[in-house]
Amino acid sequence: MISLIYLNYDEQEAGKVPRGSNQKFKLYRLAQIMMEQTDDDHYITMPEIIEELAKYDVTADRKSVYADLRDLSILGIEVEGEPIGNRYHYHVVSRAFELPELKLLVDAIQSSKFITEKKTNRLIKKLETLVSKYDAQELQRQVFVSGRIKTMNESIYYTVDAIHNAISENKKIKFQYYQWNVKKEMELRHNGAWYHISPWGLSWDDENYYLVGYDSEAEQIKHYRVDKMLHIRMSNESREGKEYFKKLDMADYAKKSFGMFRGKEQTVKMQVDNRLAGVIIDRFGKDVMMIPTDEEHFTVKVDVHVSRQFLGWIFSLGEGIKIVGPEEVVNQMKAECERLMGQYQLPQ
């Protein structure tokens, strides 16, 4: 609600004020001034508002500004006036986003590997327009928290948009896929062959964006790093693999695939130190069943895609965790241990 106080005004004086050349932008400029220069801690007086409007070649008087401030509520901009000393001070009291919410969005954008540095800065600049210039400084400081590795594929926005369009149109997509070589050059995989995939969803894992789709030729679900997809186009063919995705939980799929690397899905039983209970819950969720085996350990069974990435995760937790079944996975871990010992064996 706008709280404004009308002051005495001489109606005859209104006709003596020359109109500026940009009068038609008056309400827009007033909204811009209030949004940029005021917040819960920063106010602006009526003379200052009129002075700021004049910088845009917009003339104004007190009575018209009062009316315009009321009209801002139609645009969703709520302004309040508070008496401080012998003057009223005005400020915006509500916005679409609170500053802590925007900080969360900035952090998410900044930490996303699949968004380029250029696009990151552009997005954050747009977010800054949603707060006052004072609060925008806090968002700017957020940008320099850390220099994370970012993708160099500028077309990712259009790739994501193309994927969503294909899903909406129930069509397959075609694209080429690349990797980096030792010369730091983009190198098309499979000699530039086109991938023909039925897109069913997108997954964000380990700060990367993945397309999850059905490969009809291989007759299986596969995933692809979105920032490594090139020259994407929609196919005329309808999507396939619906029966697979009807029973696929995308969140569960990402949880089972460590780093989105695939492997044979198996139920793995592990013995874990109690001190690592939080690690297990963080990875597999609170619904995971942890059965005490003694005062210091518990066992847990989880469904995972057994890959080197999963085994590497087990290695990273040291002696606090041990795979105890099934035997096939235990043997895979033993083989991986032997491989590493051979790889790092000191020369005789």
Side-chain angles (χ1 to χ4, degrees):
M1 178 178 179
I2 299 176
S3 175
L4 299 173
I5 302 296
Y6 280 86
L7 301 181
N8 290 330
Y9 178 75
D10 186 351
E11 296 284 352
Q12 300 301 318
E13 290 297 313
K16 297 181 181 180
V17 179
R19 292 173 61 83
S21 60
N22 288 321
Q23 290 301 111
K24 60 184 178 181
F25 300 117
K26 182 182 177 186
L27 192 62
Y28 167 75
R29 291 303 185 188
L30 179 61
Q32 182 181 357
I33 290 166
M34 297 305 298
M35 293 293 286
E36 287 182 357
Q37 301 193 27
T38 75
D39 53 39
D40 288 342
D41 300 312
H42 299 89
Y43 302 76
I44 190 169
T45 64
M46 183 59 68
E48 289 170 339
I49 292 174
I50 294 173
E51 183 181 343
E52 289 298 319
L53 285 170
K55 293 178 182 178
Y56 295 108
D57 202 12
V58 174
T59 56
D61 53 63
R62 291 175 180 270
K63 185 174 182 179
S64 67
V65 172
Y66 288 136
D68 290 335
L69 287 173
R70 288 199 311 277
D71 289 341
L72 287 182
S73 63
I74 300 174
L75 302 177
I77 302 173
E78 296 185 42
V79 177
E80 281 188 358
E82 298 183 17
I84 300 178
N86 59 353
R87 283 183 175 173
Y88 266 75
H89 292 63
Y90 303 93
H91 70 116
V92 174
V93 295
S94 66
R95 296 174 185 267
F97 291 92
E98 297 179 9
L99 183 59
E101 293 172 331
L102 290 174
K103 285 182 176 179
L104 287 176
L105 292 177
V106 168
D107 283 345
I109 293 168
Q110 184 67 10
S111 64
S112 301
K113 290 181 181 179
F114 63 86
I115 305 179
T116 65
E117 197 67 42
K118 180 180 176 181
K119 293 289 187 182
T120 293
N121 293 333
R122 188 175 297 175
L123 280 172
I124 293 173
K125 280 294 181 185
K126 289 180 179 180
L127 290 179
E128 289 174 8
T129 65
L130 300 176
V131 294
S132 71
K133 62 182 180 181
Y134 309 102
D135 286 344
Q137 293 174 0
E138 292 196 40
L139 294 182
Q140 291 164 7
R141 285 199 292 271
Q142 292 286 107
V143 177
F144 302 104
V145 169
S146 62
R148 297 180 174 96
I149 296 172
K150 310 287 279 184
T151 183
M152 287 175 277
N153 184 358
E154 283 288 343
S155 65
I156 187 165
Y157 284 111
Y158 312 106
T159 300
V160 171
D161 190 48
I163 292 171
H164 281 299
N165 287 338
I167 292 174
S168 176
E169 297 290 329
N170 195 37
K171 297 294 184 182
K172 292 183 180 180
I173 56 173
K174 292 182 176 180
F175 58 90
Q176 291 175 300
Y177 206 52
Y178 79 86
Q179 60 190 4
W180 294 104
N181 62 24
V182 293
K183 296 179 181 179
K184 300 181 181 178
E185 298 169 334
M186 288 171 57
E187 185 175 82
L188 290 176
R189 300 189 65 175
H190 301 309
N191 297 316
W194 288 86
Y195 291 66
H196 202 188
I197 302 297
S198 299
W200 287 95
L202 289 161
S203 178
W204 191 351
D205 184 80
D206 193 27
E207 301 180 2
N208 289 310
Y209 220 8
Y210 293 87
L211 160 70
V212 181
Y214 181 72
D215 184 333
S216 302
E217 187 175 331
E219 296 184 342
Q220 65 181 34
I221 296 170
K222 292 185 177 180
H223 53 257
Y224 306 85
R225 278 267 299 270
V226 173
D227 60 314
K228 296 188 180 295
M229 298 167 62
L230 296 174
H231 311 128
I232 186 170
R233 61 189 63 173
M234 191 185 298
S235 168
N236 291 323
E237 296 182 28
S238 298
R239 289 186 301 170
E240 296 178 322
K242 184 177 181 179
E243 63 278 10
Y244 290 88
F245 283 86
K246 272 186 176 179
K247 51 190 178 184
L248 178 70
D249 184 322
M250 291 290 285
D252 189 56
Y253 175 84
K255 181 177 66 177
K256 292 176 181 177
S257 303
F258 280 69
M260 293 300 283
F261 284 90
R262 289 299 303 271
K264 180 181 177 181
E265 183 174 338
Q266 298 185 71
T267 300
V268 178
K269 182 178 180 181
M270 300 175 290
Q271 179 175 290
V272 188
D273 282 3
N274 289 344
R275 60 185 174 83
L276 294 180
V279 174
I280 298 299
I281 292 172
D282 286 343
R283 177 69 216 192
F284 300 104
K286 290 184 70 175
D287 292 335
V288 68
M289 186 174 292
M290 300 186 296
I291 303 173
T293 54
D294 56 42
E295 291 184 358
E296 297 180 354
H297 303 87
F298 62 88
T299 59
V300 61
K301 289 183 178 180
V302 294
D303 295 327
V304 297
H305 295 293
V306 180
S307 62
R308 278 189 173 175
Q309 285 65 36
F310 166 67
L311 299 179
W313 180 75
I314 297 294
F315 271 120
S316 71
L317 298 176
E319 69 281 358
I321 188 169
K322 178 183 178 181
I323 297 174
V324 293
E327 186 177 355
E328 178 185 350
V329 180
V330 173
N331 289 336
Q332 281 182 256
M333 177 60 88
K334 289 179 179 178
E336 189 67 8
C337 291
E338 291 173 1
R339 184 191 67 79
L340 287 170
M341 288 178 65
Q343 183 174 337
Y344 291 97
Q345 188 173 12
L346 293 176
Q348 300 296 328

